[in-house]
mmCIF file of all heavy atoms in Angstrom:
data_model
loop_
_atom_site.group_PDB
_atom_site.id
_atom_site.type_symbol
_atom_site.label_atom_id
_atom_site.label_comp_id
_atom_site.label_asym_id
_atom_site.label_seq_id
_atom_site.Cartn_x
_atom_site.Cartn_y
_atom_site.Cartn_z
ATOM 1 N N LYS A 160 69.404 71.382 203.278
ATOM 2 C CA LYS A 160 68.177 70.871 203.891
ATOM 3 C C LYS A 160 68.489 69.428 204.280
ATOM 4 O O LYS A 160 68.540 68.545 203.435
ATOM 5 C CB LYS A 160 67.025 70.971 202.908
ATOM 6 C CG LYS A 160 66.645 72.408 202.564
ATOM 7 C CD LYS A 160 65.537 72.460 201.537
ATOM 8 C CE LYS A 160 65.031 73.888 201.338
ATOM 9 N NZ LYS A 160 66.071 74.816 200.921
ATOM 10 N N SER A 161 68.710 69.217 205.561
ATOM 11 C CA SER A 161 69.374 67.988 206.011
ATOM 12 C C SER A 161 68.464 66.793 206.246
ATOM 13 O O SER A 161 68.952 65.717 206.568
ATOM 14 C CB SER A 161 70.142 68.280 207.306
ATOM 15 O OG SER A 161 69.260 68.756 208.309
ATOM 16 N N ALA A 162 67.147 66.940 206.085
ATOM 17 C CA ALA A 162 66.241 65.855 206.465
ATOM 18 C C ALA A 162 66.591 64.537 205.772
ATOM 19 O O ALA A 162 66.610 63.480 206.413
ATOM 20 C CB ALA A 162 64.802 66.255 206.147
ATOM 21 N N LEU A 163 66.901 64.581 204.484
ATOM 22 C CA LEU A 163 67.131 63.343 203.747
ATOM 23 C C LEU A 163 68.515 62.753 203.995
ATOM 24 O O LEU A 163 68.811 61.660 203.530
ATOM 25 C CB LEU A 163 66.917 63.570 202.248
ATOM 26 C CG LEU A 163 65.463 63.825 201.856
ATOM 27 C CD1 LEU A 163 65.351 64.096 200.369
ATOM 28 C CD2 LEU A 163 64.585 62.640 202.229
ATOM 29 N N PHE A 164 69.376 63.478 204.728
ATOM 30 C CA PHE A 164 70.646 62.868 205.108
ATOM 31 C C PHE A 164 70.416 61.683 206.042
ATOM 32 O O PHE A 164 71.305 60.869 206.255
ATOM 33 C CB PHE A 164 71.560 63.884 205.799
ATOM 34 C CG PHE A 164 72.454 64.616 204.850
ATOM 35 C CD1 PHE A 164 72.343 65.974 204.683
ATOM 36 C CD2 PHE A 164 73.398 63.935 204.111
ATOM 37 C CE1 PHE A 164 73.172 66.657 203.804
ATOM 38 C CE2 PHE A 164 74.225 64.603 203.233
ATOM 39 C CZ PHE A 164 74.109 65.963 203.072
ATOM 40 N N GLY A 165 69.204 61.578 206.584
ATOM 41 C CA GLY A 165 68.874 60.423 207.415
ATOM 42 C C GLY A 165 69.003 59.119 206.657
ATOM 43 O O GLY A 165 69.141 58.052 207.261
ATOM 44 N N ALA A 166 68.982 59.185 205.323
ATOM 45 C CA ALA A 166 69.133 57.970 204.530
ATOM 46 C C ALA A 166 70.514 57.358 204.691
ATOM 47 O O ALA A 166 70.710 56.158 204.507
ATOM 48 C CB ALA A 166 68.885 58.273 203.054
ATOM 49 N N ALA A 167 71.506 58.191 205.029
ATOM 50 C CA ALA A 167 72.869 57.682 205.185
ATOM 51 C C ALA A 167 73.099 57.072 206.551
ATOM 52 O O ALA A 167 74.107 56.421 206.783
ATOM 53 C CB ALA A 167 73.883 58.799 204.941
ATOM 54 N N GLU A 168 72.180 57.308 207.465
ATOM 55 C CA GLU A 168 72.275 56.708 208.792
ATOM 56 C C GLU A 168 71.066 55.811 208.961
ATOM 57 O O GLU A 168 69.962 56.265 209.246
ATOM 58 C CB GLU A 168 72.287 57.773 209.886
ATOM 59 C CG GLU A 168 72.463 57.185 211.283
ATOM 60 C CD GLU A 168 72.471 58.268 212.347
ATOM 61 O OE1 GLU A 168 71.996 59.378 212.056
ATOM 62 O OE2 GLU A 168 72.952 57.992 213.446
ATOM 63 N N GLY A 169 71.277 54.521 208.732
ATOM 64 C CA GLY A 169 70.177 53.578 208.735
ATOM 65 C C GLY A 169 69.525 53.450 210.094
ATOM 66 O O GLY A 169 69.972 54.023 211.080
ATOM 67 N N PRO A 170 68.441 52.681 210.182
ATOM 68 C CA PRO A 170 67.737 52.504 211.443
ATOM 69 C C PRO A 170 68.595 51.825 212.485
ATOM 70 O O PRO A 170 69.421 50.969 212.180
ATOM 71 C CB PRO A 170 66.543 51.618 211.044
ATOM 72 C CG PRO A 170 66.978 50.920 209.800
ATOM 73 C CD PRO A 170 67.868 51.891 209.090
ATOM 74 N N SER A 171 68.443 52.223 213.735
ATOM 75 C CA SER A 171 69.231 51.659 214.813
ATOM 76 C C SER A 171 68.821 50.220 215.094
ATOM 77 O O SER A 171 67.658 49.856 214.989
ATOM 78 C CB SER A 171 69.052 52.491 216.090
ATOM 79 O OG SER A 171 69.553 53.785 215.878
ATOM 80 N N ASP A 172 69.794 49.412 215.417
ATOM 81 C CA ASP A 172 69.568 48.027 215.819
ATOM 82 C C ASP A 172 69.569 48.004 217.342
ATOM 83 O O ASP A 172 70.612 48.138 217.976
ATOM 84 C CB ASP A 172 70.681 47.139 215.252
ATOM 85 C CG ASP A 172 70.461 45.669 215.558
ATOM 86 O OD1 ASP A 172 69.672 45.360 216.475
ATOM 87 O OD2 ASP A 172 71.086 44.827 214.903
ATOM 88 N N GLU A 173 68.406 47.848 217.937
ATOM 89 C CA GLU A 173 68.300 47.956 219.395
ATOM 90 C C GLU A 173 69.107 46.888 220.116
ATOM 91 O O GLU A 173 69.615 47.110 221.212
ATOM 92 C CB GLU A 173 66.826 47.877 219.804
ATOM 93 C CG GLU A 173 66.000 49.056 219.297
ATOM 94 C CD GLU A 173 64.556 48.970 219.735
ATOM 95 O OE1 GLU A 173 64.211 47.972 220.415
ATOM 96 O OE2 GLU A 173 63.780 49.882 219.392
ATOM 97 N N GLU A 174 69.235 45.708 219.502
ATOM 98 C CA GLU A 174 69.954 44.623 220.172
ATOM 99 C C GLU A 174 71.448 44.904 220.252
ATOM 100 O O GLU A 174 72.090 44.651 221.263
ATOM 101 C CB GLU A 174 69.710 43.293 219.444
ATOM 102 C CG GLU A 174 68.265 42.816 219.542
ATOM 103 C CD GLU A 174 68.095 41.464 218.873
ATOM 104 O OE1 GLU A 174 69.111 40.917 218.387
ATOM 105 O OE2 GLU A 174 66.965 40.957 218.849
ATOM 106 N N SER A 175 72.025 45.433 219.179
ATOM 107 C CA SER A 175 73.468 45.686 219.166
ATOM 108 C C SER A 175 73.812 47.128 219.485
ATOM 109 O O SER A 175 74.974 47.484 219.563
ATOM 110 C CB SER A 175 74.050 45.319 217.789
ATOM 111 O OG SER A 175 73.480 46.141 216.789
ATOM 112 N N ALA A 176 72.779 47.958 219.669
ATOM 113 C CA ALA A 176 72.969 49.386 219.961
ATOM 114 C C ALA A 176 73.834 50.066 218.910
ATOM 115 O O ALA A 176 74.603 50.963 219.194
ATOM 116 C CB ALA A 176 73.584 49.567 221.345
ATOM 117 N N SER A 177 73.701 49.614 217.681
ATOM 118 C CA SER A 177 74.459 50.219 216.584
ATOM 119 C C SER A 177 73.488 50.587 215.476
ATOM 120 O O SER A 177 72.329 50.182 215.486
ATOM 121 C CB SER A 177 75.520 49.240 216.055
ATOM 122 O OG SER A 177 74.903 48.098 215.495
ATOM 123 N N SER A 178 73.965 51.356 214.534
ATOM 124 C CA SER A 178 73.115 51.749 213.415
ATOM 125 C C SER A 178 73.764 51.336 212.110
ATOM 126 O O SER A 178 74.979 51.220 212.004
ATOM 127 C CB SER A 178 72.880 53.262 213.431
ATOM 128 O OG SER A 178 74.103 53.946 213.276
ATOM 129 N N GLU A 179 72.917 51.102 211.126
ATOM 130 C CA GLU A 179 73.395 50.746 209.799
ATOM 131 C C GLU A 179 73.923 52.002 209.123
ATOM 132 O O GLU A 179 73.293 53.053 209.170
ATOM 133 C CB GLU A 179 72.224 50.163 209.008
ATOM 134 C CG GLU A 179 72.594 49.632 207.644
ATOM 135 C CD GLU A 179 71.373 49.089 206.917
ATOM 136 O OE1 GLU A 179 70.240 49.404 207.348
ATOM 137 O OE2 GLU A 179 71.569 48.374 205.932
ATOM 138 N N GLU A 180 75.089 51.899 208.503
ATOM 139 C CA GLU A 180 75.702 53.067 207.904
ATOM 140 C C GLU A 180 75.879 52.878 206.403
ATOM 141 O O GLU A 180 76.070 51.757 205.928
ATOM 142 C CB GLU A 180 77.057 53.354 208.550
ATOM 143 C CG GLU A 180 76.959 53.743 210.028
ATOM 144 C CD GLU A 180 78.319 54.038 210.630
ATOM 145 O OE1 GLU A 180 79.326 53.688 209.982
ATOM 146 O OE2 GLU A 180 78.360 54.616 211.722
ATOM 147 N N PHE A 181 75.809 53.986 205.673
ATOM 148 C CA PHE A 181 75.980 53.970 204.226
ATOM 149 C C PHE A 181 77.086 54.952 203.843
ATOM 150 O O PHE A 181 77.316 55.943 204.532
ATOM 151 C CB PHE A 181 74.671 54.352 203.535
ATOM 152 C CG PHE A 181 73.545 53.398 203.775
ATOM 153 C CD1 PHE A 181 72.677 53.594 204.836
ATOM 154 C CD2 PHE A 181 73.349 52.297 202.955
ATOM 155 C CE1 PHE A 181 71.629 52.721 205.079
ATOM 156 C CE2 PHE A 181 72.313 51.415 203.183
ATOM 157 C CZ PHE A 181 71.451 51.613 204.243
ATOM 158 N N LEU A 182 77.729 54.666 202.737
ATOM 159 C CA LEU A 182 78.820 55.506 202.260
ATOM 160 C C LEU A 182 78.280 56.795 201.642
ATOM 161 O O LEU A 182 77.304 56.771 200.892
ATOM 162 C CB LEU A 182 79.642 54.739 201.217
ATOM 163 C CG LEU A 182 80.823 55.480 200.589
ATOM 164 C CD1 LEU A 182 81.905 55.710 201.628
ATOM 165 C CD2 LEU A 182 81.388 54.699 199.407
ATOM 166 N N ILE A 183 78.908 57.919 201.968
ATOM 167 C CA ILE A 183 78.594 59.218 201.348
ATOM 168 C C ILE A 183 79.799 59.655 200.519
ATOM 169 O O ILE A 183 80.923 59.646 200.998
ATOM 170 C CB ILE A 183 78.273 60.290 202.402
ATOM 171 C CG1 ILE A 183 76.968 59.968 203.135
ATOM 172 C CG2 ILE A 183 78.163 61.666 201.747
ATOM 173 C CD1 ILE A 183 76.611 60.979 204.200
ATOM 174 N N GLN A 184 79.557 60.030 199.265
ATOM 175 C CA GLN A 184 80.624 60.538 198.403
ATOM 176 C C GLN A 184 80.306 61.992 198.031
ATOM 177 O O GLN A 184 79.304 62.261 197.367
ATOM 178 C CB GLN A 184 80.769 59.703 197.127
ATOM 179 C CG GLN A 184 81.909 60.179 196.230
ATOM 180 C CD GLN A 184 82.133 59.275 195.032
ATOM 181 O OE1 GLN A 184 81.248 58.545 194.621
ATOM 182 N NE2 GLN A 184 83.328 59.319 194.482
ATOM 183 N N PRO A 185 81.135 62.950 198.472
ATOM 184 C CA PRO A 185 80.886 64.356 198.121
ATOM 185 C C PRO A 185 81.264 64.640 196.671
ATOM 186 O O PRO A 185 82.250 64.098 196.154
ATOM 187 C CB PRO A 185 81.783 65.118 199.093
ATOM 188 C CG PRO A 185 82.892 64.163 199.422
ATOM 189 C CD PRO A 185 82.300 62.785 199.368
ATOM 190 N N VAL A 186 80.482 65.484 196.021
ATOM 191 C CA VAL A 186 80.705 65.842 194.617
ATOM 192 C C VAL A 186 80.598 67.352 194.475
ATOM 193 O O VAL A 186 79.705 67.976 195.053
ATOM 194 C CB VAL A 186 79.666 65.168 193.697
ATOM 195 C CG1 VAL A 186 79.931 65.541 192.236
ATOM 196 C CG2 VAL A 186 79.682 63.657 193.858
#
Side-chain angles (χ1 to χ4, degrees):
K160 294 177 172 58
S161 59
L163 291 178
F164 269 116
E168 183 180 19
S171 296
D172 184 342
E173 295 181 359
E174 293 183 2
S175 63
S177 64
S178 62
E179 185 181 16
E180 295 181 346
F181 297 91
L182 179 68
I183 293 179
Q184 182 175 22
V186 181

